[in-house]
Amino acid sequence: MTGFELPADVIESLLKVGLVEWGQTFCQSDEKHIEDYRDTLRMTREGYEIEAEETTISYVALAGTSIVLANTGNSPNSRQTARILVGAWNQLVEIAMASTTAEGSEP
């Protein structure tokens, strides 16, 4: 990946957020997940002092579908976070495809 440079806004966003980690909820019903996520949305609005109760939720989805792989939330930086995750994921897919092509096998 020589010669690859990140856009300045992506660098700024990455450094502002810092390292991340994977997490998982408790095993619970859809209703409980919805209740918990409702609290997450509220806490984000309060934490960012967002007055409106109607916000957009940014996410990462399988290309050409509505199948959500990850929600990045409703904060002001959620859109950029989703864009960064999409870029990173797609770059990894391209690396994997190039790797399988180089080995002479089909993905």
Side-chain angles (χ1 to χ4, degrees), residues 69-83:
L69 299 177
N71 283 310
T72 58
N74 63 329
S75 73
N77 61 334
S78 293
R79 181 176 186 271
Q80 181 75 334
T81 300
R83 290 178 62 231

Side-chain angles (χ1 to χ4, degrees), residues 58-71 86 89:
S58 295
Y59 58 88
V60 175
L62 291 176
T65 74
S66 296
I67 299 172
V68 175
L69 299 177
N71 283 310
V86 166
W89 182 279

Side-chain angles (χ1 to χ4, degrees), residues 16-85:
K16 182 177 178 183
V17 172
L19 297 175
V20 297
E21 62 187 17
W22 172 82
Q24 182 174 357
T25 68
F26 294 111
C27 183
Q28 55 195 15
S29 68
D30 287 352
E31 290 77 21
K32 181 64 176 148
H33 284 300
I34 292 167
E35 180 183 320
D36 289 349
Y37 198 65
R38 188 175 289 117
D39 285 340
T40 298
L41 295 172
R42 178 189 48 76
M43 288 184 290
T44 300
R45 281 194 316 275
E46 290 172 0
Y48 283 93
E49 298 179 356
I50 300 170
E51 297 293 326
E53 284 196 28
E54 292 186 5
T55 58
T56 60
I57 296 176
S58 295
Y59 58 88
V60 175
L62 291 176
T65 74
S66 296
I67 299 172
V68 175
L69 299 177
N71 283 310
T72 58
N74 63 329
S75 73
N77 61 334
S78 293
R79 181 176 186 271
Q80 181 75 334
T81 300
R83 290 178 62 231
I84 290 169
L85 290 172

